[in-house]
Amino acid sequence: MLLDELKKYRIFLASKSPRRRELLAGMGIAFEILTTDVDETYDDSMSPAEVVQHLSRLKLTGIDRNQYPDNTIFIACDTIVVIDGRIIGKPRDKAEAFAMVQSLSGHTHTVYSGLTVATPKQVLTDYRATNVDFAPLTEEEIRYYVSEYLPLDKAGAYGVQEWIGYVGIKSIHGSFYNVMGLPTRLLWSMLSTIVDK
């Protein structure tokens, strides 16, 4: 089984996200945290799928993978929200968070996550996209969410696993865990590929 094979590796998650840590731990994978600060810029001509893949690879650029033994795996992920062709990242403050959630209210948006899995000798990158359909939300509901849950560290200013997801999301087409910030099935598949090589 893959979990047994992964025990032979030292695995690093390049992320500060508590959701990604929770999901990776829930997969039964032992890992350590290794983060670096990178300038998360991208070319405006890139498609959303290209952006998240580029950003996930970028998160590993500050790590000298050659300094690690071959049985080391690095995992990096980046998530964005796209509505009406516009990419929405993390809000800078509560006012921007309110505006972001208000723009999602009553509409369907797409959550893209780019995933990079690497060893000192190889790099795999892929992505998943999930459509999320939000019910119309009142200003009072949005204000409550933004003040009580402080969604400033989340793309699109909301967490699907929080109150706003419970009351606001009508349907999800694709991976729920992708919306949380880590496409777990894709990660499992990519880890299988890495281990088999």
Side-chain angles (χ1 to χ4, degrees):
M1 185 180 172
L2 179 59
L3 286 177
D4 294 323
E5 291 299 313
L6 290 174
K7 288 174 184 173
K8 302 171 186 174
Y9 289 81
R10 189 177 182 190
I11 299 172
F12 291 99
L13 174 64
S15 177
K16 296 173 184 172
S17 164
R19 272 87 49 199
R20 292 192 183 115
R21 296 177 190 188
E22 176 190 342
L23 290 172
L24 190 54
M27 293 174 73
I29 297 170
F31 64 94
E32 301 169 59
I33 299 297
L34 181 64
T35 60
T36 58
D37 290 318
V38 293
D39 180 16
E40 296 187 13
T41 56
Y42 56 87
D43 190 323
D44 288 340
S45 67
M46 288 179 168
S47 69
E50 291 170 330
V51 168
V52 288
Q53 291 180 90
H54 166 73
L55 292 177
S56 73
R57 285 190 301 269
L58 204 59
K59 289 181 177 180
L60 295 182
T61 56
I63 300 167
D64 184 357
R65 299 196 319 273
N66 295 321
Q67 298 297 314
Y68 292 84
D70 290 347
N71 66 331
T72 308
I73 295 175
F74 304 90
I75 300 168
C77 188
D78 194 83
T79 301
I80 59 171
V81 168
V82 178
I83 185 164
D84 298 330
R86 249 180 342 113
I87 293 176
I88 302 175
K90 296 173 185 175
R92 288 184 293 265
D93 52 37
K94 287 184 182 181
E96 192 172 35
F98 181 92
M100 283 183 179
V101 177
Q102 193 170 46
S103 73
L104 302 178
S105 171
H107 297 95
T108 298
H109 64 273
T110 305
V111 177
Y112 288 83
S113 287
L115 185 61
T116 295
V117 179
T119 67
K121 293 185 175 177
Q122 58 183 320
V123 179
L124 300 178
T125 303
D126 206 342
Y127 80 98
R128 286 294 179 267
T130 303
N131 290 327
V132 181
D133 187 18
F134 255 103
L137 299 164
T138 66
E139 287 193 12
E140 184 181 27
E141 288 169 336
I142 298 171
R143 204 169 288 112
Y144 169 78
Y145 175 69
V146 169
S147 65
E148 294 296 317
Y149 291 86
L150 301 173
L152 301 183
D153 66 336
K154 299 173 180 73
Y158 81 94
V160 65
Q161 73 283 2
E162 295 177 340
W163 181 85
I164 196 87
Y166 301 155
V167 305
I169 292 176
K170 294 200 297 186
S171 62
I172 293 177
H173 306 279
S175 167
F176 171 86
Y177 300 109
N178 185 45
V179 183
M180 264 185 85
L182 184 68
T184 52
R185 175 60 213 172
L186 175 62
L187 174 58
W188 189 258
S189 175
M190 292 172 75
L191 287 169
S192 299
T193 301
I194 286 276
V195 167
D196 285 344
K197 284 190 175 179

